[in-house]
Amino acid sequence: MTDAYPSTVDVVVIGAGHAGIEAAWAASRLGASVAVCTLSPATIGQMPCNPAIGGTAKGHLVREIDALGGLMGEAIDATGIQFRLLNRSRGPAVWAPRAQADKRLYAAYMRRRLERADGIELVYAQVASLIVEDGRVLGVRLDDGHEIGAAQVVVTTGTFLDGLIHVGSARRPAGRYDEPAAVSLAASVRALGLPGGRLKTGTPPRVHRASIDFSALTPQPGDAEPVPLSFLTTALAQPQVECHTVRTSERVHRLVREHIAESPLYNGQITGIGPRYCPSLEDKIMRFPDKEAHQLFLEPEGLDVDEVYINGYSMSLPAEVQEAIVRALPGLAEARLIRPGYAVEYDFVQPTALRHTLEVRSVAGLFLAGQINGTSGYEEAAAQGWVAGVNAGLRSQGRPAFTLGRHEAYIGILVDDLVTRGCLEPYRMFTSRAEHRLLLRIDNADLRLTPRGRELGTVGDERWRTFVDRQGRHARNRERLRSTLVRVPSGDRVPAEEALRNPSIRLSGLIAAEPALGLELDPVAPSVDVSSLDADCRYVGYIRRQEREVHRASRYEAQRVPSSFSFESLPGLSRELQVRLTERRPATVGQAGSIPGMTPAAQALISAAIARAGAADGSFVRDTSTGGGAGE
């Protein structure tokens, strides 16, 4: 950071949360000059909600960000204090790494990475407004009147756009508990005329560690052999700790019901829509009255901090009521609240106003990422930040846009869902959203995406060398499994690849029983090699089927929708589809398939009409480049 603000840069990033960090990092890796505007050093990489990274489907996003050269996986491996691989009892398509973070160490790690990065300048100031003229962004204006010129601006404001915090009847403008809301910037965004509305999220009370009787709780240890989230990690840096679980009781439920009229969620004080899949305690008890208890997780916020996070106990009741509800839990009869839980309302922009690059359709050079697009979760924000940052950097260099398809990455699914379907409530990623889950596993994220990142310029030499070694091992090991015979329970000897299709045979056991296999495994972290080989062999039939489905669909993905193409004049489409397609302007026929209400017949109709138009004047061609196509 310098003493003076820069006057002009290639890219301005507003905000330094998870989306802003990845956006700035990605753009700078491409060689763009980046100014990151944030309130203070303390706001970089903050974890205002649960201090954890990963989880179901979210772990997939982190692995993909990492494979593309992003920071989140490295950061959590350097600062994580408990690691667990979720869904081990199920198939590898839904295995999900998750790690509890020391939130202070995590934020400090991210700050150091940004401070030391070439091309990134940290600007500790609040952005008051966007500078937009003639449908094009020209930079930002700070609250002191200083202007930073930039033809690309990435807005990653989280919950700060006109943020309003609620604790019982008390409410005040804020983006996080003790940080000011971005009121003037919210007005600037609204002045663009983009569709949007208000959403709501919340956090639970924090409890002092010393006031908890942990002997009354159920310990939840981490994995004996932790699975890191970055492909570069060879060893975890921090000591590992236990978390604990506890269940609510009828006493807790009774207290909530007795005070429900004081909840801003239930007395009309809050109008924003909250997350369906992470409901508040009030919602859990009022919407599910037959459920006798709800499981909670007590998670330390760091190795040397007093705060303990009660995961699953989000609420916005008055502070004194929250204290009684916390003390009604086993082991917390003497609990001291460090900070009450709160709800926060904030503005968001309906993401159907964006292209698949996350650039605003109506404002050239303006990109949005994170909760401003209607999502919830650090991982969803970081993934969007990387996409927006890469495309802002590419745009600054006049290079083609970068997008990922639904068959290529969970990041592609996330962006496609947002841009084509929009949000009626905070969006959360699930593995069920992926049509081709076996192709998009956590173990093969590097095999899928690291070459793409290298081609772009976001994957550095160290990561590339690590990947090339891994890729070569994987190919040689696959050949060994095809050509080496092993004995199966029937007594026959068959190729090892075939043997692994037997549900009772695991590759780890085969390696121990058949030394002649001679597989090459990473001596430090062999689990990724083993997981990839096991899944590729065990599910080879299903994988080939999904690959054929992707190949059939690829002709739609490659077929561009001309910017002049009129959906409204196309007979055979319902009026509802005509309106939605006209509003959202998919860049390809494949993207049109994700529009709500789209049918295979309607998609085929659009494809045929575009082909006929192209044949008539010779101007419309299929595009197989990595760019976003027409309209991107």
Side-chain angles (χ1 to χ4, degrees), residues 21-270:
I21 288 168
E22 298 294 348
W25 181 256
S28 70
R29 297 291 284 176
L30 298 179
S33 59
V34 183
V36 182
C37 301
T38 188
L39 294 175
S40 73
T43 58
I44 299 173
Q46 276 274 40
M47 291 182 153
C49 197
N50 187 11
I53 298 293
T56 302
K58 294 169 178 283
H60 289 73
L61 291 172
V62 180
R63 279 281 178 90
E64 291 177 353
I65 294 166
D66 181 72
L68 288 161
L71 287 179
M72 181 172 268
E74 293 182 64
I76 186 59
D77 287 351
T79 62
I81 57 178
Q82 189 196 76
F83 288 75
R84 295 175 63 217
L85 184 64
L86 309 182
N87 299 328
R88 281 183 184 269
S89 62
R90 301 171 64 191
V94 295
W95 289 351
R98 180 187 187 274
Q100 192 73 17
D102 183 309
K103 70 175 186 179
R104 293 184 182 177
L105 292 179
Y106 185 95
Y109 178 95
M110 286 301 199
R111 179 184 172 188
R112 286 195 304 273
R113 293 299 294 265
L114 294 188
E115 287 176 338
R116 297 172 183 175
D118 292 337
I120 295 179
E121 184 163 355
L122 298 173
V123 175
Y124 296 126
Q126 188 170 45
V127 174
S129 62
L130 304 170
I131 304 172
V132 177
E133 292 182 11
D134 300 323
R136 182 178 300 276
V137 71
L138 300 179
V140 301
R141 183 173 294 109
L142 306 181
D143 55 1
D144 64 0
H146 184 91
E147 294 182 358
I148 302 176
Q152 289 75 219
V153 174
V154 184
V155 183
T156 68
T157 44
T159 60
F160 280 74
L161 279 187
D162 220 358
L164 186 65
I165 278 180
H166 303 259
V167 181
S169 61
R171 54 185 174 182
R172 66 181 189 280
R176 284 193 287 256
Y177 189 74
D178 52 0
E179 297 174 30
V183 178
S184 61
L185 180 58
S188 179
V189 172
R190 283 196 295 269
L192 298 175
L194 303 174
R198 298 281 281 177
L199 294 177
K200 166 263 173 190
T201 189
T203 69
R206 268 53 164 202
V207 178
H208 198 290
R209 185 198 302 259
S211 68
I212 300 172
D213 177 9
F214 287 99
S215 67
L217 310 178
T218 303
Q220 185 190 55
D223 290 343
E225 297 182 7
V227 175
L229 282 89
S230 172
F231 288 100
L232 291 182
T233 299
T234 57
L236 301 178
Q238 304 302 327
Q240 300 298 287
V241 304
E242 279 188 336
C243 295
H244 293 78
T245 66
V246 69
R247 297 182 70 82
T248 61
S249 64
E250 173 52 33
R251 181 184 170 198
V252 169
H253 296 202
R254 185 176 66 253
L255 283 169
V256 171
R257 288 192 294 266
E258 287 174 354
H259 293 277
I260 196 64
E262 299 171 67
S263 168
L265 285 174
Y266 279 81
N267 63 17
Q269 185 173 310
I270 289 177

Side-chain angles (χ1 to χ4, degrees), residues 554-568:
S554 64
R555 66 186 183 92
Y556 283 158
E557 290 296 336
Q559 189 176 18
R560 297 169 57 181
V561 178
S563 57
S564 60
F565 185 80
S566 173
F567 294 105
E568 293 182 324

Side-chain angles (χ1 to χ4, degrees), residues 424-561:
L424 298 177
E425 61 190 11
Y427 176 100
R428 179 178 179 177
M429 178 54 72
F430 293 103
T431 53
S432 59
R433 298 188 190 273
E435 298 90 342
H436 308 293
R437 287 192 292 277
L438 275 173
L439 301 181
L440 307 180
R441 307 185 308 271
I442 58 169
D443 64 84
N444 68 4
D446 59 337
L447 297 173
R448 289 184 278 121
L449 297 175
T450 298
R452 300 289 302 277
R454 183 65 172 183
E455 181 183 354
L456 278 171
T458 58
V459 168
D461 292 342
E462 178 190 358
R463 183 180 294 277
W464 184 245
R465 285 192 296 269
T466 300
F467 169 75
V468 169
D469 289 344
R470 141 88 160 152
Q471 186 183 48
R473 283 197 312 273
H474 185 73
R476 292 189 295 272
N477 286 336
R478 283 299 305 271
E479 182 55 37
R480 295 286 296 178
L481 292 171
R482 292 188 194 100
S483 60
T484 305
L485 300 180
V486 299
R487 193 173 302 280
V488 293
S490 67
D492 296 333
R493 295 189 69 79
V494 301
E497 182 182 63
E498 181 180 333
L500 287 170
R501 297 172 201 168
N502 185 325
S504 65
I505 299 176
R506 309 297 302 186
L507 180 56
S508 55
L510 204 57
I511 292 170
E514 300 279 353
L517 270 177
L519 298 182
E520 303 174 48
L521 302 176
D522 187 315
V524 177
S527 61
V528 174
D529 286 339
V530 172
S531 296
S532 296
L533 292 167
D534 205 3
D536 281 353
C537 295
R538 186 173 306 281
Y539 301 103
V540 63
Y542 296 102
I543 290 172
R544 286 173 180 166
R545 181 188 303 170
Q546 291 192 0
E547 288 174 341
R548 288 194 296 269
E549 292 171 355
V550 169
H551 180 72
R552 283 195 297 269
S554 64
R555 66 186 183 92
Y556 283 158
E557 290 296 336
Q559 189 176 18
R560 297 169 57 181
V561 178

